[in-house]
Amino acid sequence: MDKIYILGGAPLHGIIPIAGSKNSTLPLMAASLLTDETLTLSNVPRLVDVTTMANLLIQHGVELSTKRKSSECIYDGDILELCSKSVHNTTAPYEIVRLMRASILVLGPLVTRFGQARVSLPGGCAIGTRPVDLHLKGLEQMGARIKLNGGYIEARVRGRLKGTKIVLPQISVGATENLLMAAVLAEGETVLINAAREPEVCDLAHCLTVMGANISGIGTNIINVYGVNNLCGTSYKIRSDRIEAGTYAIAAAITRGEIELLFTCSSIMRTIFTFLKKCGVQIFSTERGVKISAVNGDIMGVDVMTEPYPGFPTDMQAQVMALMTTARGAAMITETIFENRLMHVQELIRMGAQINIHRTSSAIVRGVPKLSGAPVMATDLRASVCLVLAGLSAKGETIVDRIYHLDRGYERLVEKMAACGACIERVRT
Ligand code: EPZ
């Protein structure tokens, strides 16, 4: 199992290209099941989760080809061509689904295009129980018969799914995406109320529209879909990953350095950048992206609460906590989306951070002058990058174990940080 070794203390200075968004890529790959024509996705990040989704689609019978980015233009992602004209299997097996919860996103497309699906229940993960009840209840409201059998979701519909009004009792990115994909080929009108507004959901809706879907209300909490008989293929470029961009912005801030991020869409970074400016970080637009600077050295503690978009993203909570451990003053960090997303706290405390967990979902962080390097262990994707960030700032050596989590969501992280002066290396053990 690989480990990352970091000798902390060096301010990072340089340029980091931001890859395409993981959380846009995964639902867009699943959307290829909705048409028998070719869907071409560009600026696709090279991540383990993308490979897992590719393997899942291939075992369904999707023809998938990858054109690797040429070495000189490192800024562009891969190009994927996906064609679902020969799908022969509507089962998503446990062996694959257990690797990546987003596998559930094939459920809606399979049922609405083929009338049936057998998808393994994803099970929980480190950050929470992660149920899929909203996905299933929505599909049942559209006329699917759903049974749970032997750890699998068995969904069937005679004829087409029927459009209907679906009120989501809680905002869910995945449920919104699954039901949106189910609705585009359903008969009649579907109204999704309390829909998620995340940019990744908008990416999916925009691509479906280009494929011929009839969708209105994109980016709002009420999405209207008028079902069509079929969708056509298209080409779609994945937008920059706002969480990767936010993570490297924190890398500049926590090391008191200066990094230019390439290809970020500043409009979707607003909440993250507003928080960083309150901390005392300077942020300038450049021709190619955004420059993040904390060279004046003073970072203030600022409270943050995670919320559905456009609120502060839960996927940035662990990274912000790392930053707050060496800020001036204190910060209250409240996680409202997932019930168990503070496991990085204990590892940060091992590095000398002063953090008190309050009622399982809040943490009070009191800034200390310096963290101390230590051997630490990652528990999930964002917790692992939080520990890398803490290691970059700490005095001495930090060894991060179980970094396979990192490979799920960050492409070439060690190379990108080393290119900005970090003393960091990945060691196969
Ligand atoms: C997506 O997960 C993202 N993953 C997550 O990013 C992200 O943290 C999350 O949205 C919230 O923004 C992808 O897009 C692949 P939810 P998802 O459904 O769709 C509860 C990362 O690090 N819920 O919005 O699974 C759920 O338990 C990952 O990149 C139900 O109760 O999240 C949670 O408390 C981590 N029933 C809340 O809703 C359901 O049927 C929000 O979950 C569905 C969800």
Side-chain angles (χ1 to χ4, degrees):
M1 215 184 282
D2 294 3
K3 292 181 182 181
I4 285 182
Y5 286 72
I6 304 164
L7 204 52
L12 299 195
H13 286 270
I15 296 170
I16 294 185
I18 300 301
S21 163
K22 166 178 82 81
N23 291 350
S24 292
T25 300
L26 299 175
L28 284 167
M29 289 174 74
S32 67
L33 289 165
L34 292 166
T35 174
D36 59 5
E37 296 183 12
T38 299
L39 174 61
T40 302
L41 299 175
S42 59
N43 196 31
V44 174
R46 197 174 295 178
L47 301 169
V48 167
D49 274 9
V50 172
T51 303
T52 303
M53 182 60 87
N55 293 337
L56 176 63
L57 294 172
I58 289 166
Q59 66 88 42
H60 282 309
V62 174
E63 293 158 25
L64 187 148
S65 66
T66 304
K67 290 190 188 125
R68 288 283 186 224
K69 62 189 129 188
S70 47
S71 55
E72 62 275 6
C73 56
I74 58 166
Y75 298 154
D76 281 338
D78 291 339
I79 295 174
L80 292 191
E81 288 184 350
L82 305 103
C83 183
S84 299
K85 66 178 186 296
S86 315
V87 166
H88 49 70
N89 162 38
T90 56
T91 293
Y94 174 66
E95 295 71 36
I96 297 181
V97 175
R98 71 184 177 84
L99 300 174
M100 182 185 65
R101 296 185 36 72
S103 305
I104 191 75
L105 293 172
V106 300
L107 178 64
L110 288 172
V111 176
T112 202
R113 170 111 185 274
F114 303 103
Q116 64 179 39
R118 182 170 173 269
V119 176
S120 168
L121 278 163
C125 75
I127 63 178
T129 53
R130 310 289 294 276
V132 292
D133 56 312
L134 303 180
H135 302 239
L136 304 185
K137 281 187 194 121
L139 287 172
E140 281 179 325
Q141 282 182 256
M142 298 175 77
R145 274 183 299 112
I146 306 261
K147 275 195 313 182
L148 300 185
N149 189 359
Y152 279 78
I153 300 160
E154 294 181 352
R156 276 185 184 283
V157 62
R158 205 185 299 282
R160 292 171 72 183
L161 289 172
K162 301 284 182 293
T164 185
K165 184 169 104 172
I166 299 172
V167 180
L168 289 164
Q170 142 168 43
I171 291 179
S172 162
V173 169
T176 303
E177 290 168 342
N178 235 335
L179 296 173
L180 175 61
M181 289 190 279
V184 295
L185 293 179
E187 193 179 318
E189 181 187 13
T190 299
V191 184
L192 294 180
I193 296 175
N194 204 24
R197 298 170 54 192
E198 271 66 6
E200 295 76 26
V201 176
C202 298
D203 263 353
L204 173 64
H206 287 308
C207 182
L208 291 170
T209 304
V210 175
M211 292 167 74
N214 186 338
I215 303 172
S216 60
I218 298 174
T220 74
N221 288 127
I222 299 178
I223 300 177
N224 284 68
V225 185
Y226 294 86
V228 295
N229 292 328
N230 50 52
L231 294 184
C232 52
T234 190
S235 295
Y236 193 83
K237 179 173 184 179
I238 308 280
R239 77 162 84 207
S240 294
D241 191 314
R242 63 191 169 111
I243 304 302
E244 186 195 18
T247 301
Y248 288 117
I250 299 270
I254 202 169
T255 61
R256 310 307 190 254
E258 184 171 282
I259 296 175
E260 182 178 13
L261 306 176
L262 303 187
F263 305 107
T264 47
C265 325
S266 290
S267 60
I268 62 171
M269 303 297 296
R270 189 172 300 120
T271 309
I272 297 170
F273 286 169
T274 302
F275 168 79
L276 287 173
K277 287 175 185 169
K278 280 185 190 161
C279 295
V281 177
Q282 295 171 307
I283 299 177
F284 320 94
S285 290
T286 66
E287 277 166 31
R288 303 179 297 183
V290 182
K291 187 170 279 189
I292 311 290
S293 179
V295 294
N296 66 9
D298 217 5
I299 296 290
M300 305 302 294
V302 174
D303 295 348
V304 72
M305 177 185 286
T306 64
E307 292 174 298
Y309 192 88
F312 193 89
T314 175
D315 293 346
M316 282 295 301
Q317 179 257 109
Q319 300 91 308
V320 160
M321 189 176 293
L323 179 63
M324 293 294 96
T325 61
T326 58
R328 188 135 57 92
M332 165 81 100
I333 296 179
T334 305
E335 172 59 54
T336 69
I337 306 295
F338 291 108
E339 70 268 25
N340 190 32
R341 203 170 198 178
L342 294 178
M343 281 165 306
H344 40 283
V345 167
Q346 295 313 322
E347 296 304 296
L348 290 171
I349 288 171
R350 298 189 61 249
M351 298 177 72
Q354 286 196 6
I355 308 174
N356 294 93
I357 290 186
H358 183 64
R359 289 215 194 99
T360 70
S361 62
S362 291
I364 300 194
V365 186
R366 291 178 179 79
V368 297
K370 205 75 175 154
L371 295 178
S372 308
V376 288
M377 185 160 62
T379 49
D380 64 83
L381 170 56
R382 307 305 174 179
S384 49
V385 82
C386 147
L387 297 175
V388 171
L389 295 169
L392 291 172
S393 139
K395 186 172 178 305
E397 183 179 61
T398 297
I399 303 166
V400 185
D401 198 358
R402 298 192 177 181
I403 57 162
Y404 54 84
H405 295 294
L406 270 177
D407 297 332
R408 297 189 51 182
Y410 290 94
E411 182 182 343
R412 298 183 310 116
L413 176 130
V414 170
E415 294 87 331
K416 291 183 178 183
M417 287 185 164
C420 292
C423 186
I424 182 171
E425 66 170 332
R426 182 175 186 138
V427 176
R428 190 166 298 279
T429 54

